[in-house]
């Protein structure tokens, strides 16, 4: 079967994106119920920070192993297993009787989530041609932003109507159904189609390719300046945004600006609109300029200045400015798609999966560190005015964003002629 010319590839595309949409919504949805969890389970802000961090810790720690395994054994099985794990973890979260089960549930969700992006990229590369792949990868990034969007006002209204447990339980069921759907779409149906299109006498053995040792691959990646540059870029744009949105953004609006939960969720939604615009617009600007580094450095400067603005106004910027800051920080998160454009142009096709996992790991290591560290700062200033604790807390994402800017400056970009020739021969 010619996958890249079959109409069936669009069924694959729709199924994978539906699953990605559902999974991404569960990265930040728990941030909507931070105060409820603190009240229901009598836990501190540090414990809530740990809840978010443990999910992203699992995600970050598994990125490189998942990239290696998926390159060697194929992405389909790992995507299906990851979807089921995310669904089971979400179900467990919805019925958790104590904070220990909550932690276990988020660990399972993080483990499942860790398989999604790298395998999504590999699956799309198998089913679509090069010119289609780039465009659809942008659509996948936008789908992720829509998933985040669902976890704002719509999910918040659902929680306000039914309480927090039913929405998470229902989402867990839907994710398990998505796992079943993926099995039929990615495994069972393609096997039938392969048999139908396979010639009767085609028993020729496939040539065995000699695989490079994992240690050699990792040593080469970890010693590569360009790989570390992409790691830091993602560290500064993705982790600060995901870590804050997924834990303290809603409580910040409620405690510092006296917003309702729905009102605070609407501010988070502004950031998500920025993220939806960031990927396609910045990619378009990059292609028009013929460079990735210059627009990406500009994005990192904007993100760093945005987090610094919270410090300039002592943790409570003017209301109108808060709208702009959320939008710009979200825009930076969307524009982080340029990280993978750098990877694609800089590394051999056999290494793209591993380096993509390494770069993605950077974003989620900072997403691990930020919620927990932010929570400890808030606990330390518990008796002070709310804006005081948040003022000192905002020093953390500002520092992380500075590291992202350093990563942008470290990117080594070849001349456009060399890049174009490399793309042609790839």
């Amino acid at each position: 079967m010619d996958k890249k010319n079959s109409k069936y590839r669009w069924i694959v595309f729709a199924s994978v994106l539906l699953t990605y949409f559902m999974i991404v919504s569960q990265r930040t949805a728990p941030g909507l119920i931070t105060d409820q969890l603190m009240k229901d389970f009598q836990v501190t802000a540090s414990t809530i920070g740990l809840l978010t961090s443990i999910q992203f810790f699992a995600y970050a720690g598994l990125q490189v192993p998942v990239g290696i395994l998926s390159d060697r054994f194929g992405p389909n099985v790992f995507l299906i297993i990851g979807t089921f794990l995310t669904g089971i973890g979400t179900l467990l979260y919805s019925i958790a009787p104590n904070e220990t089960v909550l932690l276990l549930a988020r660990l399972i969700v993080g483990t499942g989530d860790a398989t999604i992006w790298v395998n999504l990229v590999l699956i799309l590369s198998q089913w679509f041609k090069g010119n289609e792949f780039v465009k659809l990868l942008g659509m996948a990034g936008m789908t992720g932003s829509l998933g985040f969007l669902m976890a704002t006002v719509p999910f918040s209204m659902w929680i306000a109507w039914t309480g927090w447990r039913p929405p998470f339980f229902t989402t867990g069921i839907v994710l398990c159904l998505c796992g079943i759907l993926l099995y039929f779409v990615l495994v069972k149906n393609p096997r039938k189609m392969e048999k139908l299109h396979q010639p009767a006498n085609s028993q020729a053995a496939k040539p065995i390719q000699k695989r490079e040792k994992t240690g050699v691959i990792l040593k080469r990646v970890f010693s590569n300046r360009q790989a570390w540059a992409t790691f830091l870029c993602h560290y500064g744009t993705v982790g600060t945004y995901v870590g804050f949105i997924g834990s303290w953004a809603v409580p910040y609006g409620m405690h510092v600006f006296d917003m309702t939960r729905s009102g605070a969720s609407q501010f988070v939604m502004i950031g998500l609109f920025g993220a939806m615009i960031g990927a396609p617009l910045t990619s378009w600007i990059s292609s028009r300029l013929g460079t990735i580094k210059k627009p990406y450095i500009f994005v990192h400067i904007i993100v760093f200045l945005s987090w610094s603005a919270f410090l300039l106004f002592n943790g409570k910027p003017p209301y109108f400015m808060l709208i702009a800051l959320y939008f710009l920080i979200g825009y930076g998160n969307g524009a982080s798609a340029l990280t993978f454009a750098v990877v694609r142009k800089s590394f051999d096709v056999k290494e793209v999966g591993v380096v993509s996992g390494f770069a993605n790991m950077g974003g989620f290591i900072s997403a691990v560190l930020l919620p927990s560290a932010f929570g400890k700062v808030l606990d330390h200033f518990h008796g002070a005015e709310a804006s005081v604790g948040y003022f000192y807390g905002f020093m953390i994402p500002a520092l992380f964003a500075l590291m992202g800017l350093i990563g942008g400056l470290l990117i080594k970009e070849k001349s456009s002629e060399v890049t174009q020739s490399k793309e042609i021969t790839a």
Side-chain angles (χ1 to χ4, degrees):
M1 179 179 64
D2 185 2
K3 289 183 176 181
K4 295 184 179 181
N5 288 309
S6 69
K7 293 181 179 180
Y8 187 75
R9 72 192 193 279
W10 296 109
I11 297 176
V12 172
F13 179 67
S15 302
V16 170
L17 255 64
L18 171 64
T19 303
Y20 184 56
F21 170 82
M22 295 301 303
I23 288 172
V24 168
S25 73
Q26 293 310 295
R27 289 181 186 170
T28 56
L32 298 173
I33 58 171
T34 296
D35 59 323
Q36 288 180 266
L37 294 179
M38 293 175 71
K39 180 180 178 181
D40 292 351
F41 295 97
Q42 298 296 305
V43 294
T44 64
S46 297
T47 302
I48 294 297
L50 179 61
L51 273 175
T52 303
S53 295
I54 198 168
Q55 175 182 349
F56 294 135
F57 177 80
Y59 186 104
L62 290 172
Q63 284 303 289
V64 172
V66 165
I68 294 172
L69 292 171
S70 298
D71 277 340
R72 292 198 172 185
F73 302 108
N76 295 337
V77 173
F78 290 101
L79 183 64
I80 293 167
I81 292 173
T83 303
F84 275 116
L85 284 175
T86 307
I88 292 168
T90 304
L91 283 172
L92 188 60
Y93 190 79
S94 71
I95 61 174
N98 53 55
E99 61 270 24
T100 302
V101 178
L102 285 175
L103 284 168
L104 176 62
R106 297 321 293 177
L107 178 62
I108 295 172
V109 169
T111 302
D113 193 8
T115 69
I116 303 307
W117 178 253
V118 171
N119 289 298
L120 179 148
V121 171
L122 291 174
I123 287 170
L124 293 186
S125 68
Q126 290 177 354
W127 284 89
F128 292 91
K129 301 173 185 176
N131 58 335
E132 294 176 328
F133 172 74
V134 175
K135 297 174 184 177
L136 296 180
L137 199 58
M139 289 183 64
M142 187 175 294
T143 300
S145 297
L146 288 172
F148 282 123
L149 187 62
M150 189 185 80
T152 55
V153 175
F155 217 73
S156 180
M157 293 175 64
W158 192 1
I159 290 169
W161 181 46
T162 64
W164 66 272
R165 292 185 185 270
F168 284 94
F169 183 85
T170 305
T171 304
I173 294 293
V174 172
L175 281 166
C176 289
L177 293 175
C178 284
I180 297 171
L181 172 66
L182 287 178
Y183 169 73
F184 282 96
V185 170
L186 297 176
V187 178
K188 191 167 184 179
N189 289 346
R191 282 178 182 171
K192 290 182 179 179
M193 294 167 71
E194 288 285 354
K195 288 180 180 179
L196 289 174
H197 291 84
Q198 187 177 15
N201 297 322
S202 62
Q203 299 294 330
K206 294 181 180 179
I208 299 174
Q209 295 182 346
K210 188 176 180 181
R211 290 171 177 165
E212 199 171 11
K213 291 183 178 179
T214 301
V216 175
I217 297 173
L218 293 178
K219 183 179 180 180
R220 186 165 60 247
V221 170
F222 290 152
S223 61
N224 189 293
R225 166 179 163 169
Q226 194 82 328
W228 281 103
T230 60
F231 177 96
L232 290 173
C233 284
H234 235 50
Y235 189 97
T237 53
V238 174
T240 51
Y241 172 81
V242 173
F244 183 68
I245 292 295
S247 57
W248 299 112
V250 171
Y252 171 67
M254 294 172 69
H255 298 156
V256 176
F257 289 90
D258 295 321
M259 298 178 185
T260 63
R261 185 185 313 280
S262 178
S265 298
Q266 289 177 25
F267 265 79
V268 172
M269 191 164 61
I270 292 170
L272 294 172
F273 283 127
M276 291 174 63
I277 295 171
L281 179 58
T282 313
S283 297
W284 178 80
I285 292 172
S286 175
S287 64
R288 293 286 292 178
L289 295 177
T291 174
I292 298 173
K293 182 173 182 176
K294 290 178 181 179
Y296 208 12
I297 288 176
F298 183 69
V299 167
H300 281 288
I301 291 172
I302 289 175
V303 172
F304 172 67
L305 293 177
S306 296
W307 285 115
S308 299
F310 285 99
L311 302 177
L312 184 64
F313 290 93
N314 296 315
K316 191 176 181 179
Y319 197 82
F320 72 91
M321 181 177 287
L322 190 64
I323 297 173
L325 293 177
Y326 270 81
F327 180 84
L328 292 174
I329 291 167
Y331 184 94
N333 177 71
S336 67
L338 289 182
T339 296
F340 301 100
V342 173
V343 171
R344 178 174 170 270
K345 289 180 179 293
S346 304
F347 293 90
D348 186 87
V349 66
K350 296 177 183 178
E351 298 176 337
V352 166
V354 178
V355 181
S356 294
F358 180 62
N360 210 23
M361 181 175 70
F364 286 88
I365 284 179
S366 61
V368 166
L369 297 175
L370 189 146
S372 183
F374 212 110
K376 287 184 180 298
V377 171
L378 293 180
D379 282 343
H380 183 75
F381 292 96
H382 181 68
E385 186 180 347
S387 60
V388 174
Y390 281 97
F391 166 75
Y392 287 101
F394 282 124
M395 292 181 180
I396 300 167
L399 176 61
F400 287 6
L402 178 61
M403 294 174 67
L405 176 57
I406 292 172
L409 295 170
L410 286 175
I411 291 173
K412 293 178 69 176
E413 192 168 45
K414 299 178 181 180
S415 65
S416 59
E417 291 81 11
V418 173
T419 300
Q420 287 172 3
S421 65
K422 184 175 181 179
E423 286 186 306
I424 292 171
T425 57

